[in-house]
C-alpha cells in the first residue's frame, strides 16, 4: 500500500516522462473500460480524475504481473454501483481478488465525480449533508462571516467530503500541489477551516492532512470572495477597510471615512479572512484598525484607531489627498455671506434664510473644541447592578433608562438582540466592556447614552469572554456621536480606569467616579 500510494501521488509526472521518451504505454484498453463507468448512473469521473485513474491503472496492471503483489487483506468496500462495475472490470485484466476489488473500488470512490454525491438516496451523502451544515455553521461562528449562498456551499462541501471520506477511510493519500501557496496567501482561511472541521473528523474518526484541509479551505475562500462587495461606483480611487471582526465599531469608521473623503470609494469592513480573499488589484489603499500579518502588500496601507484620533485623521488625509487635514477651528471666521455667494454661482438656492441658518449651525459646531467636558455631561444614565444576570437581562437593564426617557422604542432592543444572534458578540470593545448600539433607524427618537456596571460578570453565547460594563448608545445619525465615542473608547482601553470602574459598589460611587473624569471634546 505504501508503494501504491507513492505511485498514485506521482503517477502523472511518470506518465509525462514516459510520453516524452521512447517508451510507449498503451492504455487505450483501460480508457475504453473506464468510459463504461460514465454510463453507470451517478458514476462519471471528472476529466482530471479520469486521466489520473487511467494512468494509475496502466501502471497497476503491469505492477501486479511482477511477482506476487496481490493484496492479502484490505478494508471491505460497501456494495455499490462502483464495486459491481469493478468486479466486471478487473477480470478482463486477469485479476480475481476480492481485496484488489475493494482497493480499486475505494480508489475510484475517492476521486471527484460529476454527480456521484448528489443522490439523496445515498445514506453516506445524507450523513455528510448534516456534517457539512455543522462545519459551515462553525466556520461562520469562528470567523464572524455569514455566507450568502449557504445551500450551494453545503452541496459543494458535501460533494468534496464524500471523496475525502473514502481517502481517509482507506488510507489513500492526497498531495496538494498548492499547499504552501494556500497557507502563505490565505492563512486565516486555512486556520478557520482547520478549526471548523471537527464535526467531520469526529465522523471519520481520523485526522486530516494539511493537504486535505487546504483543499477544503478553497471552498470557503471561494464563497468568501463571492460574499465580498464588488467595486460598483465610478470614483477614481478605492480603499479597503479592514478590522478584526468585520463589524462593530469598524462600521462607524467606514461611515466616517465616507463622509470625510467623498472622492474615495470605501469597501468593507473586511475581517482578515475576507481581506485575504479580495482582489487587491481593485484597490488603491488599505485602511486597517489592526496590524496586518502580510508582508507582500503592494499598495499603501495605514493603521488607525476604530474611532480615529485627530492624528489619525491627519495621516488619513495625507495618504488619501496628499495634504494635511484642515483643522476645524480654522473655519471659525468663515463669512457666511461669501459662502452663499459661492454656492449661488453653481446652483439655485430655494431658501437663502434657511441655508444661512444651517451653515451657521454647522460651522458653530467646530468652535471651542478644546473645552474640557465631564463625562457625566455626556453620559445621561448611570447604574450599578449587584444581582446576577445573563447577557440578555444585562442588555435589557442597560437600555431601560433610554426607553423610559423616550430616547428609544422597544424596536431598538429587538434590533440589538437580532444583530447579536446573527453576527455573534461583535459589540465587545475590550477590557470586559460592551458597546450596545444599533442603527438610528432601529427605533432611535433622540440621542441616548448610558453606562451600567455589573458586580457579577456575565458571558454572551457561552463564550469565555466575561463582561462587567455595558455602554449604551442610541445615535441619531452617523456623525454626531463620533467624537464622544473616540474619547470614551480611549477611556475604556485604559485598564487602570476600567479596573476602578469595575470596583465601584453602588450607583452613587459610579456617578462620583465618572463625574471626576474629563473628556477632551
Amino acid at each position: 500500500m505504501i508503494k501504491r500510494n507513492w505511485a498514485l501521488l506521482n503517477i502523472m509526472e511518470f506518465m509525462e516522462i514516459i510520453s516524452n521518451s521512447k517508451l510507449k504505454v498503451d492504455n487505450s484498453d483501460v480508457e475504453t473500460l473506464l468510459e463504461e463507468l460514465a454510463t453507470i448512473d451517478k458514476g462519471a469521473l471528472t476529466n482530471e480524475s479520469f486521466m489520473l485513474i487511467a494512468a494509475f491503472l496502466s501502471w497497476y496492471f503491469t505492477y501486479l504481473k511482477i511477482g506476487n503483489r496481490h493484496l492479502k487483506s484490505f478494508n471491505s468496500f460497501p456494495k455499490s454501483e462502483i464495486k459491481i462495475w469493478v468486479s466486471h472490470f478487473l477480470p478482463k485484466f486477469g485479476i480475481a481478488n476480492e481485496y484488489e476489488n475493494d482497493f480499486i473500488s475505494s480508489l475510484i470512490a475517492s476521486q471527484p465525480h460529476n454527480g456521484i454525491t448528489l443522490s439523496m438516496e445515498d445514506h453516506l451523502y445524507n450523513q455528510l449533508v448534516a456534517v457539512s451544515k455543522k462545519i459551515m455553521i462553525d466556520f461562520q461562528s469562528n470567523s464572524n462571516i455569514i455566507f450568502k449562498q449557504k445551500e450551494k456551499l453545503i452541496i459543494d462541501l458535501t460533494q468534496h467530503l464524500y471523496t475525502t471520506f473514502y481517502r481517509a477511510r482507506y488510507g489513500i493519500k492526497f498531495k496538494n500541489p498548492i499547499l504552501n501557496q494556500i497557507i502563505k496567501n490565505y492563512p486565516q482561511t486555512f486556520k478557520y477551516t482547520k478549526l471548523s472541521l471537527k464535526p467531520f473528523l469526529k465522523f471519520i474518526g481520523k485526522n486530516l492532512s494539511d493537504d486535505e484541509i487546504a483543499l477544503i479551505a478553497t471552498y470557503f475562500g471561494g464563497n468568501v470572495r463571492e460574499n465580498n462587495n464588488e467595486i460598483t461606483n465610478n470614483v477614481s480611487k478605492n480603499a479597503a477597510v479592514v478590522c478584526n471582526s468585520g463589524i462593530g465599531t469598524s462600521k462607524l469608521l467606514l461611515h466616517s471615512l465616507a463622509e470625510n473623503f467623498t472622492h474615495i470609494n470605501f469597501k468593507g469592513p473586511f475581517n482578515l479572512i475576507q481581506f485575504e480573499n479580495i482582489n487587491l488589484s481593485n484597490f488603491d489603499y488599505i485602511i486597517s484598525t489592526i496590524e496586518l500579518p502580510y508582508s507582500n502588500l503592494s499598495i499603501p496601507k495605514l493603521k488607525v484607531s476604530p474611532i480615529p484620533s485627530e492624528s489619525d485623521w491627519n495621516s488619513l488625509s495625507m495618504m488619501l489627498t496628499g495634504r494635511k487635514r484642515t483643522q476645524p477651528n480654522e473655519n471659525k471666521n468663515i463669512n457666511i455671506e461669501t459662502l452663499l455667494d459661492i454656492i449661488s454661482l453653481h446652483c439655485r438656492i430655494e431658501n437663502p434664510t434657511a441655508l444661512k441658518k444651517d451653515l451657521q449651525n454647522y460651522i458653530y459646531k467646530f468652535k471651542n473644541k478644546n473645552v474640557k467636558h465631564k463625562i457625566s455631561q455626556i453620559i445621561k444614565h448611570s447604574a450599578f447592578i449587584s444581582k446576577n444576570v445573563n447577557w440578555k437581562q444585562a442588555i435589557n437593564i442597560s437600555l431601560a433608562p433610554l426607553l423610559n426617557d423616550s430616547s428609544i422604542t422597544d424596536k431598538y432592543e429587538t434590533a440589538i438582540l437580532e444583530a447579536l444572534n446573527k453576527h455573534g458578540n461583535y459589540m465587545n470593545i475590550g477590557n470586559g466592556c460592551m458597546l450596545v448600539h444599533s442603527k438610528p433607524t432601529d427605533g432611535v427618537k433622540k440621542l441616548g447614552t448610558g453606562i451600567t456596571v455589573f458586580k457579577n460578570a456575565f458571558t454572551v453565547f457561552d463564550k469565555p469572554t466575561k463582561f462587567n460594563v455595558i455602554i449604551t448608545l442610541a445615535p441619531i445619525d452617523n456623525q454626531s456621536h463620533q467624537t464622544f465615542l473616540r474619547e470614551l473608547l480611549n477611556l475604556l482601553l485604559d485598564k487602570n480606569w476600567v479596573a476602578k470602574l469595575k470596583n465601584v459598589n453602588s450607583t452613587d460611587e459610579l456617578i462620583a467616579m465618572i463625574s471626576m473624569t474629563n473628556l477632551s471634546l
Side-chain angles (χ1 to χ4, degrees):
M1 282 306 303
I2 292 173
K3 292 178 180 178
R4 293 178 188 209
N5 270 320
W6 190 88
L8 183 65
L9 291 174
N10 297 279
I11 194 67
M12 297 308 292
E13 293 178 30
F14 283 132
M15 297 307 289
E16 183 178 351
I17 294 170
I18 291 171
S19 65
N20 293 328
S21 71
K22 294 180 180 180
L23 295 171
K24 296 298 179 184
V25 175
D26 182 9
N27 64 348
S28 58
D29 289 342
V30 172
E31 291 185 358
T32 299
L33 288 169
L34 272 180
E35 287 170 359
E36 294 179 3
L37 188 59
T39 65
I40 298 175
D41 186 30
K42 306 180 296 296
L45 290 164
T46 63
N47 290 338
E48 187 176 345
S49 300
F50 185 94
M51 293 172 59
L52 176 66
I53 295 298
F56 178 82
L57 288 176
S58 297
W59 169 86
Y60 165 80
F61 292 134
T62 305
Y63 173 77
L64 290 189
K65 292 177 182 178
I66 306 173
N68 186 17
R69 293 178 171 177
H70 287 251
L71 292 175
K72 295 179 175 59
S73 66
F74 193 79
N75 290 337
S76 177
F77 190 85
K79 184 178 179 180
S80 64
E81 297 274 6
I82 290 177
K83 187 170 183 177
I84 293 171
W85 176 81
V86 170
S87 67
H88 295 297
F89 180 99
L90 292 183
K92 295 180 181 181
F93 290 86
I95 300 173
N97 179 310
E98 62 175 309
Y99 302 122
E100 295 295 346
N101 192 328
D102 287 330
F103 166 68
I104 296 299
S105 297
S106 67
L107 176 61
I108 293 176
S110 72
Q111 300 303 311
H113 290 64
N114 284 325
I116 191 170
T117 63
L118 299 181
S119 171
M120 295 306 293
E121 298 174 0
D122 190 318
H123 180 60
L124 175 60
Y125 175 78
N126 288 325
Q127 288 179 301
L128 288 175
V129 167
V131 171
S132 296
K133 286 181 180 178
K134 291 179 182 178
I135 293 172
M136 184 197 69
I137 291 170
D138 286 352
F139 192 98
Q140 289 185 138
S141 176
N142 291 328
S143 65
N144 275 330
I145 289 175
I146 303 299
F147 294 111
K148 295 179 181 177
Q149 299 182 344
K150 295 183 177 67
E151 292 303 319
K152 181 179 182 299
L153 174 58
I154 291 170
I155 291 174
D156 291 345
L157 189 57
T158 302
Q159 183 167 346
H160 180 78
L161 293 182
Y162 195 99
T163 55
T164 308
F165 169 84
Y166 284 113
R167 287 195 295 273
R169 179 173 180 178
Y170 293 99
I172 297 170
K173 304 299 181 184
F174 168 75
K175 181 169 67 175
N176 192 331
I178 58 171
L179 170 64
N180 293 332
Q181 183 181 341
I182 290 173
I183 293 177
K184 178 182 178 181
N185 296 333
Y186 305 94
Q188 298 298 316
T189 309
F190 180 82
K191 168 187 169 183
Y192 285 114
T193 299
K194 194 170 188 176
L195 189 63
S196 304
L197 280 174
K198 291 179 182 178
F200 183 65
L201 302 184
K202 182 179 179 181
F203 181 75
I204 63 176
K206 295 182 179 180
N207 289 323
L208 291 180
S209 66
D210 283 352
D211 294 86
E212 292 280 11
I213 294 170
L215 190 58
I216 297 170
T218 62
Y219 285 86
F220 288 111
N223 276 269
V224 171
R225 285 189 287 279
E226 289 178 11
N227 267 22
N228 291 339
N229 294 328
E230 296 296 327
I231 304 302
T232 55
N233 63 18
N234 296 320
V235 297
S236 58
K237 299 289 185 179
N238 302 293
V241 180
V242 188
C243 73
N244 192 41
S245 66
I247 43 185
T249 52
S250 58
K251 288 196 173 181
L252 300 175
L253 172 62
L254 194 67
H255 289 305
S256 298
L257 290 169
E259 287 291 325
N260 282 272
F261 303 100
T262 56
H263 68 293
I264 302 290
N265 179 35
F266 295 96
K267 284 293 177 180
F270 304 112
N271 62 25
L272 286 177
I273 295 179
Q274 293 169 317
F275 175 70
E276 66 191 22
N277 284 286
I278 64 175
N279 185 355
L280 279 181
S281 64
N282 287 333
F283 293 92
D284 303 281
Y285 310 101
I286 301 169
I287 299 166
S288 174
T289 63
I290 53 176
E291 293 293 343
L292 296 176
Y294 310 101
S295 58
N296 58 342
L297 298 177
S298 58
I299 58 179
K301 63 180 185 296
L302 180 66
K303 179 178 178 292
V304 299
S305 298
I307 303 176
S309 64
E310 195 60 45
S311 174
D312 287 333
W313 283 117
N314 280 328
S315 298
L316 283 163
S317 186
M318 287 298 296
M319 183 174 78
L320 299 176
T321 68
R323 59 182 182 273
K324 191 174 180 181
R325 189 184 192 220
T326 302
Q327 297 296 323
N329 58 11
E330 293 174 5
N331 295 325
K332 61 184 179 182
N333 295 321
I334 288 178
N335 187 295
I336 300 296
E337 302 299 335
T338 302
L339 268 182
L340 288 173
D341 288 340
I342 293 172
I343 294 171
S344 66
L345 290 173
H346 302 278
C347 59
R348 185 165 62 90
I349 301 175
E350 293 284 352
N351 191 332
T353 303
L355 177 59
K356 181 177 180 178
K357 181 179 179 181
D358 287 343
L359 288 172
Q360 287 173 328
N361 290 337
Y362 179 76
I363 293 170
Y364 181 77
K365 288 193 305 182
F366 296 106
K367 294 184 177 182
N368 302 317
K369 282 289 183 177
N370 295 320
V371 177
K372 295 285 185 180
H373 291 264
K374 298 290 185 184
I375 190 175
S376 55
Q377 293 175 280
I378 307 300
I379 295 289
K380 295 182 179 180
H381 305 285
S382 305
F384 173 81
I385 308 299
S386 59
K387 64 181 181 180
N388 284 322
V389 295
N390 60 36
W391 66 274
K392 288 185 179 181
Q393 292 170 328
I395 290 175
N396 178 266
I397 290 171
S398 300
L399 290 174
L402 277 65
L403 185 63
N404 292 335
D405 73 1
S406 298
S407 296
I408 59 174
T409 66
D410 291 330
K411 179 183 174 183
Y412 196 67
E413 181 176 346
T414 301
I416 288 171
L417 295 178
E418 288 177 351
L420 284 167
N421 284 320
K422 182 177 180 181
H423 299 297
N425 185 24
Y426 69 96
M427 298 183 185
N428 177 10
I429 55 176
N431 285 343
C433 303
M434 282 182 71
L435 176 62
V436 173
H437 65 287
S438 192
K439 302 188 294 294
T441 54
D442 287 333
V444 178
K445 299 172 70 176
K446 62 182 180 181
L447 179 65
T449 56
I451 182 169
T452 309
V453 176
F454 296 86
K455 180 178 180 180
N456 302 305
F458 57 89
T459 60
V460 180
F461 299 123
D462 296 323
K463 299 290 184 180
T465 305
K466 294 185 177 181
F467 298 93
N468 289 87
V469 179
I470 286 183
I471 305 296
T472 47
L473 170 66
I476 54 173
D477 54 42
N478 291 322
Q479 290 83 39
S480 58
H481 57 280
Q482 293 288 332
T483 306
F484 155 69
L485 271 181
R486 183 185 70 235
E487 297 295 336
L488 184 59
L489 187 61
N490 287 336
L491 272 180
L492 297 175
L493 293 177
D494 182 343
K495 292 184 178 180
N496 292 329
W497 190 84
V498 173
K500 293 178 181 178
L501 187 67
K502 293 179 180 179
N503 283 330
V504 300
N505 289 301
S506 68
T507 298
D508 288 340
E509 284 187 32
L510 174 62
I511 293 173
M513 177 184 170
I514 63 176
S515 67
M516 297 174 64
T517 304
N518 290 327
L519 291 178
S520 299
L521 294 174

